[in-house]
Amino acid sequence: LKCTLAPPAAYTASIECLVAYSKGFICGSDHGLVTLYERLEDAPYFKKNKTFKVFDNLVKIKSISLSPSEETLVCTLENNQAFVLPLNQADILDEGSMVFEYLSHPVHSSAITGISTCVRKPLMATSSMDQTVRIWNYLERSCVLVKHFSEEVHSVTLHPSGIHVAVGFADKLRVMNILDNDIRAYAEFPVKVCQCVVFSNGGHMFAAANGNTVQVYTSYTCENIGSLRGHNGKVRSLFFSKDDTRLVSAGADGAVYEWSMHDMKRLQENVLKGCSYSAVITNTEEPSKIYAAGSDRKIKEMTDAVITREVDTEGAQISQLRLSGNQKMLFAATEAGGVRLYRYPLTGDFAELQSHYSPITQIACTSDDSMLFSVSEDGCVVMMDVRDKDVNKAAVKKEGAAALTGALNSFSDDILVCKSELEERKTKMADLETAVAELASSSAYQLHLKDLALEERIKALTDDFNKQLEQERGNYGNAMLEKASIEQAVEERMRALNVDHRNALSQLESQFQQKIVGEVERYQVLVSEKEVLDKRWDQQNSMLMDSHERVIHELTEEYEDKLMEGNGALSKLQSLGGEQTREFEETKFQLEEDADREIEQQKMRYEARLAHEREMSLRLKGENGIMKKKFNVLQRDIAAQADDNKSLEHQKKGLYEVIAGLEKEIAALKMDISERDESIGDKERRIFDMKKKMQELEKFKFVLDFKITELRKQIEPREVELSRMKEVIGNMDGELSRYRVTQVLLEGKIADLKNRLEAEAREVLAQRVKNNHLRTHIGRMNHAMLKVVDKIQAPNELKQAVTKFYQQYNRDDLVAAELAPEIETEYRKQKEFLERSVDGLKKKLDVDVGVRKTDNRRTTQENVTLLKEINEMRREIKVLQDKNMAQSLEFKNKEVDLKRMEMRRSLQEAGMGGPTFQRPRTKERPLSEQFGSAPRWGEPRLPPRPFTGAPPVMQRSEMDKNMEIARLTHTVSELEARLRQVEHVHTERPASGRKLPPMDGFSPPRPPKTAPPYDFPVQ
């Protein structure tokens, strides 16, 4: 045992099932709870993640199953319902709401008591002890309609037309209309605990079992046309003949009666004591043949009320019988949950299909015998296809069915609709059509105005862009001319460098020639001193080696110190760059999504520029490498000449090698120094570019902050309006809660009145039973008295009869006290008063519920309309902001390009150009003094300080560009004024349902009289 997950103290539900998945496990418990546990990452334990509840089905969860992809969870409940939970969305689902959905559709949760089909529609009706009646479409395999009642339903039957249904309850029998979305009663009959009711084949009448009496009513006038009495026990089964002229009934008393529907008299009877019949049917082709099944576990065939054949069911109790229309099959349902198919005529052979695990309560067939339905106490409805094994017969059957289908034009699509609902829908449709027409006209007018305004705006923008394009083309031509001049200057400088290089080379050659001549002269002198030098050579050589090592060590330490200083400066530059990067990151996080996109574009441009500068540095390094190669060639020539001298002067070989090594080291150190100067110049150029970039970013940040403040000012009125609407919705919710409290109080009063009525009804029933017993007793006394009077001529027999009569009926417990008339009158008055009170409360409750539903529907529609309008306004504002930002970005890019070109030209004119950028020796000012320090968050922003290090030409070009920027700023202010105008029009929009006012403000935008929010010098 690794761990035990203890439930909270208030958690009383029992866990019924568990299932594991990749993140942990899921458990299902009582009260419809599904809990998700997830594994902890740092420990082998689990934690509770979320708990979901199946609302309106607070029963035990019997089983849970997961899909292979673990995206869907299916659970089955104790009340036979199956629900689906989207497990892949469990992290975003709300625990307090209903997140489960039915797997297919809701089914019965208790025993099904009745089933019936019709002829004109593919419908099937079922009733259940769960207080519901459900209408099914067996072709689409779906539940069409569900009607909930306040009491249990004992029986149901469908009219052949499929638009009426008769339902039996504990207190009465109701005949109802099947509407498109409801089942409504239109007639009630005083038939208590009606467990058997059936419509005739023509649908003009129906019969219902009322205890041991069968009552027959007309379907259209709802009149009682006959009461068939004769059964001593409860009637269990009823069946009409094909022509509706006869009715067969079977009861628990073992009697099977055949009744005539013309005069409501008994035609034939068969009584078998000790057998309780549960089902009876007749042969549609031979009405004289009757088939019945009862508690003796036999199927009886009767001809003219005489049992002619009995088929043993092999110990199975038959609960229902049905005969197919083609007279080939007899269907029998057993209490073991199986459906048997007997050959007809009956021979005893059968095939059985186990479809339920509880006793089958009813079975039914379609009109064409293509399907068989069975219902059981387990709450299941089973649909079975009935097919003929004989192919030829099946083909004939299909042809006959096709002919019948063509004759009947398939199934009927007619439905019943209440006149009030139809008129209400027509009124709503007319109102909606009027509203749509008004909205269409208003929208067309507004769109026309918008199109005109946008066309004028596009025209103005097009003219501005054409002017800018012409100006940019002129600037491009000037830049090309400057480029040509710069290229010419570079070529001239390269030619001058080549001439200087040739002169230096000739000077070096002449110098080395003179040195060679001097060295030859010195050779003669050195030969004479050779012997002396040879003696001192060893000592001098060792001294030179020591001094050489000491000099190399000193030079190494000196250049290492310089290298450390260079690295320190580099680290300082890197730290400064890191600080600038962090500041840039903080600034970037404070900007909105549009600013991020513009900064990325700026970054891409500067990276391209940096790549270009790197290419230029690589090109310069290549030229420097060529110079190095030339210098190395010269060094190799010098080494060759030195080798020639060495061949002549063997004694000075060591000295020349030392001199040559020192010269190489000096040359390498010079090259290192030049390379370091170049790298320092490159870094200074980068620092200068970064300073310019920071200045531009500060300007852009100031503009964006101003835009953000403007947008916040525009959003605040919308938020106030939304808060007001939320308060209105809260008031409506409070009113709805008050209505609900009133409804609960009324329901409590109705329940109390119902309890009183039920108590009174029980007392009345007891009195009726007592009166019936007294009437029976009085009838028996009268019968006995008649026997005593018959013996009046014989005194002895008369004496004995009188004595027996006295002994038999002289008992105190049979004396019943009669109720006083005043008590009966008061009882009737109380009963009438309570009935009137209940009717009044029901009407008041219906009115209140209707008013509440209307208010809720109206409030919901207004909320939906407001949300749609708010979303539309937000989308329009977003589109205008994107357009404004795109234009600002384009203008800013052009401004930056122009500034870069002017900077290069001014630097070249001032003499700062060249292959390398030398750092000025003057003392540098900090960035905050040159460009102005960046304001902190929340501090007022000062206008950026203009760059004064550029020459006068550059300042004049900046003034021109600032004028262009000011003109573009006016265009941006026009767009912002247009945006505020659109938002103002949307703010003044009236509530939905009224006609929208015309948009009068759509005129071409004019530049504002106030100064723009940007602080640029304008001349």
Side-chain angles (χ1 to χ4, degrees):
L1 180 64
K2 292 186 178 180
C3 66
T4 302
L5 302 178
Y11 192 85
T12 59
S14 61
I15 298 175
E16 299 294 331
C17 53
L18 288 171
V19 64
Y21 73 118
S22 58
K23 295 183 180 180
F25 65 91
I26 306 170
C27 66
S29 57
D30 200 358
H31 308 307
L33 297 177
V34 175
T35 307
L36 279 66
Y37 289 89
E38 292 187 356
R39 186 188 301 274
L40 297 176
E41 296 181 357
D42 54 351
Y45 301 108
F46 296 88
K47 70 172 182 178
K48 178 182 174 183
N49 186 12
K50 282 191 176 182
T51 300
F52 302 103
K53 182 184 290 186
V54 186
F55 291 93
D56 299 331
N57 291 271
L58 304 181
V59 296
K60 290 183 180 180
I61 296 178
K62 303 301 292 183
S63 63
I64 295 177
S65 179
L66 283 174
S67 63
S69 60
E70 295 185 355
E71 295 180 355
T72 306
L73 180 143
V74 180
C75 61
T76 58
L77 278 65
E78 192 177 23
N79 60 357
N80 300 338
Q81 307 298 329
F83 288 91
V84 178
L85 173 67
L87 195 60
N88 55 351
Q89 303 176 4
D91 295 335
I92 61 176
L93 294 177
D94 185 11
E95 296 185 31
S97 60
M98 178 62 177
V99 297
F100 289 88
E101 296 179 356
Y102 283 101
L103 181 61
S104 58
H105 46 72
V107 297
H108 289 290
S109 61
S110 185
I112 301 176
T113 57
I115 185 171
S116 179
T117 60
C118 62
V119 178
R120 292 294 294 158
K121 292 184 178 181
L123 298 180
M124 172 182 63
T126 58
S127 61
S128 174
M129 299 301 287
D130 61 359
Q131 302 179 356
T132 61
V133 172
R134 300 177 188 267
I135 307 298
W136 309 78
N137 189 322
Y138 55 80
L139 293 182
E140 297 178 358
R141 306 292 197 273
S142 63
C143 182
V144 178
L145 191 59
V146 179
K147 179 67 175 179
H148 293 269
F149 298 95
S150 60
E151 52 187 334
E152 296 177 348
V153 184
H154 294 279
S155 60
V156 67
T157 181
L158 269 176
H159 192 273
S161 63
I163 59 177
H164 306 292
V165 62
V167 184
F169 297 93
D171 57 345
K172 60 187 68 178
L173 174 68
R174 294 186 178 93
V175 179
M176 302 181 177
N177 290 327
I178 301 176
L179 306 180
D180 58 341
N181 57 358
D182 195 7
I183 300 176
R184 295 185 183 178
Y186 71 89
E188 294 182 353
F189 306 95
V191 180
K192 296 183 178 181
V193 194
C194 180
Q195 296 183 349
C196 183
V197 60
V198 60
F199 273 102
S200 62
N201 295 319
H204 58 287
M205 58 183 173
F206 63 91
N210 187 5
N212 56 3
T213 305
V214 179
Q215 294 182 349
V216 183
Y217 299 89
T218 60
S219 301
Y220 305 108
T221 61
C222 299
E223 295 179 352
N224 186 358
I225 59 177
S227 296
L228 310 179
R229 295 181 176 86
H231 286 282
N232 293 328
K234 184 180 293 186
V235 178
R236 303 277 299 276
S237 180
L238 296 173
F239 194 85
F240 277 99
S241 62
K242 186 176 182 180
D243 54 1
D244 293 335
T245 59
R246 297 181 181 185
L247 174 67
V248 180
S249 63
D253 56 353
V256 176
Y257 295 145
E258 186 177 2
W259 310 86
S260 173
M261 293 293 98
H262 294 294
D263 52 5
M264 300 299 167
K265 292 184 179 180
R266 188 188 307 170
L267 298 178
Q268 298 177 1
E269 64 180 25
N270 181 279
V271 181
L272 182 62
K273 298 295 183 179
C275 179
S276 177
Y277 286 110
S278 59
V280 65
I281 59 173
T282 63
N283 191 326
T284 56
E285 301 297 334
E286 300 179 10
S288 60
K289 289 187 177 181
I290 299 173
Y291 298 91
S295 59
D296 58 353
R297 304 182 187 277
K298 292 181 181 180
I299 299 176
K300 301 176 182 60
E301 180 181 347
M302 304 177 189
T303 303
D304 296 331
V306 178
I307 298 175
T308 58
R309 183 181 304 170
E310 291 185 353
V311 176
D312 189 7
T313 60
E314 298 181 0
Q317 179 66 43
I318 302 297
S319 59
Q320 289 294 323
L321 292 174
R322 282 294 180 272
L323 187 62
S324 63
N326 57 6
Q327 307 296 315
K328 298 295 183 182
M329 297 171 286
L330 177 66
F331 301 103
T334 65
E335 291 188 353
V339 177
R340 292 186 175 184
L341 174 61
Y342 286 91
R343 293 182 179 273
Y344 189 84
L346 293 176
T347 59
D349 298 334
F350 67 89
E352 186 173 1
L353 176 63
Q354 188 70 26
S355 57
H356 300 273
Y357 67 88
S358 296
I360 296 177
T361 55
Q362 290 284 342
I363 60 174
C365 294
T366 58
S367 58
D368 56 355
D369 295 331
S370 61
M371 299 187 74
L372 175 68
F373 309 103
S374 64
V375 295
S376 171
E377 293 180 0
D378 57 6
C380 295
V381 180
V382 178
M383 294 184 289
M384 293 169 277
D385 290 332
V386 180
R387 299 177 181 176
D388 198 341
K389 291 183 178 180
D390 192 349
V391 179
N392 296 328
K393 291 183 179 180
V396 173
K397 183 177 180 179
K398 288 183 180 178
E399 292 177 359
L404 180 61
T405 303
L408 297 178
N409 294 323
S410 69
F411 291 109
S412 174
D413 295 332
D414 299 335
I415 58 172
L416 293 179
V417 182
C418 291
K419 187 177 180 180
S420 60
E421 293 183 359
L422 187 60
E423 292 177 353
E424 184 180 356
R425 290 183 182 180
K426 288 182 179 178
T427 305
K428 288 182 180 180
M429 289 178 64
D431 295 340
L432 290 174
E433 289 177 355
T434 304
V436 168
E438 293 178 356
L439 288 174
S441 61
S442 178
S443 300
Y445 179 66
Q446 292 180 5
L447 288 175
H448 180 66
L449 293 178
K450 287 183 179 180
D451 291 339
L452 293 177
L454 290 175
E455 287 177 358
E456 294 177 357
R457 183 178 170 189
I458 290 171
K459 184 177 179 182
L461 291 175
T462 304
D463 296 339
D464 293 339
F465 287 144
N466 290 332
K467 292 178 182 179
Q468 294 176 10
L469 183 61
E470 292 176 358
Q471 186 176 3
E472 293 297 331
R473 287 176 178 173
N475 294 332
Y476 178 73
N478 295 331
M480 293 300 293
L481 294 176
E482 292 177 0
K483 179 183 177 183
S485 63
I486 290 170
E487 290 178 351
Q488 185 176 3
V490 170
E491 290 178 357
E492 290 177 356
R493 187 170 182 180
M494 289 296 294
R495 285 195 295 270
L497 289 174
N498 291 329
V499 171
D500 294 338
H501 177 67
R502 293 192 190 95
N503 294 331
L505 184 62
S506 61
Q507 290 178 2
L508 288 173
E509 289 177 354
S510 61
Q511 182 180 359
F512 279 106
Q513 289 293 335
Q514 292 176 2
K515 286 183 179 181
I516 291 169
V517 172
E519 292 297 332
V520 169
E521 292 176 355
R522 289 173 62 189
Y523 173 73
Q524 299 296 331
V525 177
L526 291 173
V527 168
S528 61
E529 298 177 355
K530 178 178 178 295
E531 295 178 357
V532 178
L533 291 175
D534 287 338
K535 294 179 181 179
R536 299 176 182 176
W537 171 247
D538 295 332
Q539 297 177 357
Q540 292 178 359
N541 188 16
S542 60
M543 293 173 64
L544 285 174
M545 290 298 292
D546 295 336
S547 62
H548 177 66
E549 290 178 356
R550 188 165 52 254
V551 169
I552 290 174
H553 182 68
E554 291 176 356
L555 290 174
T556 304
E557 289 180 351
E558 181 181 358
Y559 283 106
E560 284 180 354
D561 294 336
K562 290 182 180 180
L563 182 62
M564 292 295 291
E565 292 177 359
N567 291 330
L570 181 61
S571 63
K572 290 180 181 179
L573 292 174
Q574 289 178 353
S575 62
L576 180 60
E579 291 177 358
Q580 293 177 352
T581 303
R582 285 193 296 274
E583 184 178 359
F584 177 70
E585 290 293 333
E586 293 176 359
T587 305
K588 183 177 68 175
F589 280 118
Q590 295 171 2
L591 296 178
E592 294 181 344
E593 182 179 1
D594 297 332
D596 293 336
R597 186 170 58 253
E598 292 180 1
I599 289 172
E600 288 296 331
Q601 293 177 358
Q602 292 287 346
K603 184 178 178 181
M604 292 174 63
R605 291 192 183 92
Y606 284 116
E607 286 179 353
R609 180 179 175 184
L610 181 61
H612 179 69
E613 295 294 335
R614 288 176 178 172
E615 291 178 359
M616 293 294 294
S617 63
L618 291 174
R619 190 179 298 110
L620 294 175
K621 288 181 180 179
E623 293 176 357
N624 193 10
I626 294 172
M627 296 299 294
K628 288 179 183 179
K629 290 180 181 179
K630 291 181 179 179
F631 186 74
N632 291 329
V633 170
L634 292 175
Q635 291 290 339
R636 285 194 295 271
D637 294 338
I638 292 171
Q641 293 176 2
D643 292 336
D644 295 336
N645 293 329
K646 288 175 186 178
S647 63
L648 298 173
E649 300 175 354
H650 296 286
Q651 295 177 357
K652 299 179 68 174
K653 184 176 180 180
L655 296 174
Y656 279 115
E657 289 178 356
V658 173
I659 293 170
L662 293 174
E663 288 178 352
K664 288 181 180 180
E665 290 178 359
I666 291 169
L669 292 174
K670 288 182 180 180
M671 290 172 60
D672 191 8
I673 291 169
S674 62
E675 288 177 358
R676 289 182 182 276
D677 291 335
E678 290 177 358
S679 62
I680 291 170
D682 190 10
K683 289 177 182 178
E684 288 178 349
R685 284 196 298 272
R686 291 181 184 177
I687 292 170
F688 180 77
D689 294 337
M690 290 297 293
K691 290 178 182 178
K692 291 180 63 180
K693 187 188 297 183
M694 290 298 299
Q695 186 180 10
E696 293 173 358
L697 289 176
E698 289 295 330
K699 294 178 183 179
F700 188 67
K701 184 178 179 182
F702 175 76
V703 174
L704 288 179
D705 288 338
F706 180 80
K707 290 183 180 178
I708 289 170
T709 55
E710 291 293 331
L711 292 176
R712 286 177 179 172
K713 291 179 182 179
Q714 296 171 4
I715 291 171
E716 286 177 358
R718 301 295 176 83
E719 293 179 348
V720 173
E721 183 67 19
L722 287 175
S723 63
R724 187 180 65 80
M725 293 304 297
K726 288 180 179 178
E727 291 178 357
V728 173
I729 293 170
N731 295 331
M732 291 182 178
D733 291 337
E735 186 177 356
L736 180 62
S737 64
R738 290 194 296 272
Y739 280 136
R740 288 177 178 172
V741 171
T742 306
Q743 181 182 1
V744 171
L745 294 176
L746 292 175
E747 288 177 353
K749 292 180 180 179
I750 292 171
D752 293 337
L753 293 174
K754 284 184 178 180
N755 293 332
R756 293 180 184 178
L757 286 176
E758 290 176 358
E760 295 292 339
R762 286 194 294 271
E763 291 180 2
V764 171
L765 181 60
Q767 290 294 332
R768 288 180 179 175
V769 171
K770 193 171 184 180
N771 291 335
N772 290 332
H773 290 170
L774 290 176
R775 290 193 189 97
T776 304
H777 188 66
I778 292 169
R780 292 176 181 175
M781 289 179 64
N782 291 333
H783 184 69
M785 185 61 72
L786 289 177
K787 290 182 179 180
V788 172
V789 172
D790 290 338
K791 298 178 181 181
I792 196 171
Q793 299 298 329
N796 294 329
E797 295 179 0
L798 178 62
K799 181 179 180 180
Q800 294 176 359
V802 170
T803 303
K804 184 177 180 181
F805 179 82
Y806 177 80
Q807 294 175 354
Q808 184 176 359
Y809 294 102
N810 187 16
R811 291 191 300 175
D812 296 335
D813 56 349
L814 297 177
V815 179
E818 296 182 357
L819 294 175
E822 295 81 2
I823 297 174
E824 294 181 356
T825 305
E826 183 66 24
Y827 170 75
R828 286 195 297 272
K829 289 182 180 179
Q830 291 292 334
K831 182 179 179 181
E832 292 175 358
F833 172 73
L834 291 175
E835 289 178 352
R836 287 195 299 271
S837 300
V838 171
D839 293 337
L841 290 174
K842 286 184 178 178
K843 292 179 181 179
K844 186 176 180 181
L845 179 61
D846 294 338
V847 172
D848 292 340
V849 170
V851 171
R852 187 173 69 255
K853 288 183 179 178
T854 304
D855 293 340
N856 292 339
R857 192 181 302 111
R858 177 177 53 79
T859 304
T860 304
Q861 291 176 356
E862 290 180 356
N863 291 338
V864 172
T865 305
L866 289 174
L867 289 174
K868 289 182 180 178
E869 292 175 0
I870 290 170
N871 292 331
E872 290 177 359
M873 288 189 285
R874 286 177 177 173
R875 283 194 293 271
E876 292 179 0
I877 291 171
K878 183 66 177 176
V879 171
L880 293 175
Q881 288 176 351
D882 293 340
K883 290 182 179 178
N884 189 5
M885 194 62 66
Q887 293 176 358
S888 301
L889 178 62
E890 186 176 358
F891 296 155
K892 183 63 68 177
N893 294 336
K894 291 181 179 179
E895 176 188 354
V896 171
D897 294 337
L898 291 173
K899 284 187 175 181
R900 187 184 298 116
M901 295 173 61
E902 291 296 333
M903 179 67 73
R904 291 179 180 174
R905 185 174 61 185
S906 61
L907 291 174
Q908 292 173 1
E909 291 177 357
M912 296 175 67
T916 60
F917 185 83
Q918 299 294 333
R919 181 175 57 184
R921 298 303 179 183
T922 59
K923 182 179 180 182
E924 292 187 355
R925 294 179 296 166
L927 293 175
S928 60
E929 295 181 2
Q930 293 183 14
F931 302 102
S933 61
R936 297 181 180 177
W937 184 259
E939 294 182 356
R941 295 184 176 272
L942 298 177
R945 191 177 299 172
F947 180 68
T948 58
V953 178
M954 179 179 176
Q955 292 182 358
R956 288 196 298 272
S957 63
E958 285 187 353
M959 291 179 184
D960 296 337
K961 299 306 175 183
N962 288 334
M963 293 178 63
E964 180 67 19
I965 292 169
R967 190 178 63 81
L968 297 177
T969 305
H970 285 299
T971 304
V972 174
S973 62
E974 291 176 3
L975 295 175
E976 291 178 350
R978 174 63 178 165
L979 178 61
R980 288 193 294 272
Q981 187 177 8
V982 172
E983 291 179 351
H984 179 69
V985 172
H986 282 289
T987 305
E988 295 181 353
R989 184 174 181 178
S992 59
R994 293 182 293 167
K995 188 173 181 180
L996 297 173
M999 301 178 68
D1000 298 327
F1002 283 90
S1003 59
R1006 297 178 180 177
K1009 295 181 180 179
T1010 59
Y1014 313 102
D1015 192 3
F1016 294 117
V1018 181
Q1019 293 182 356

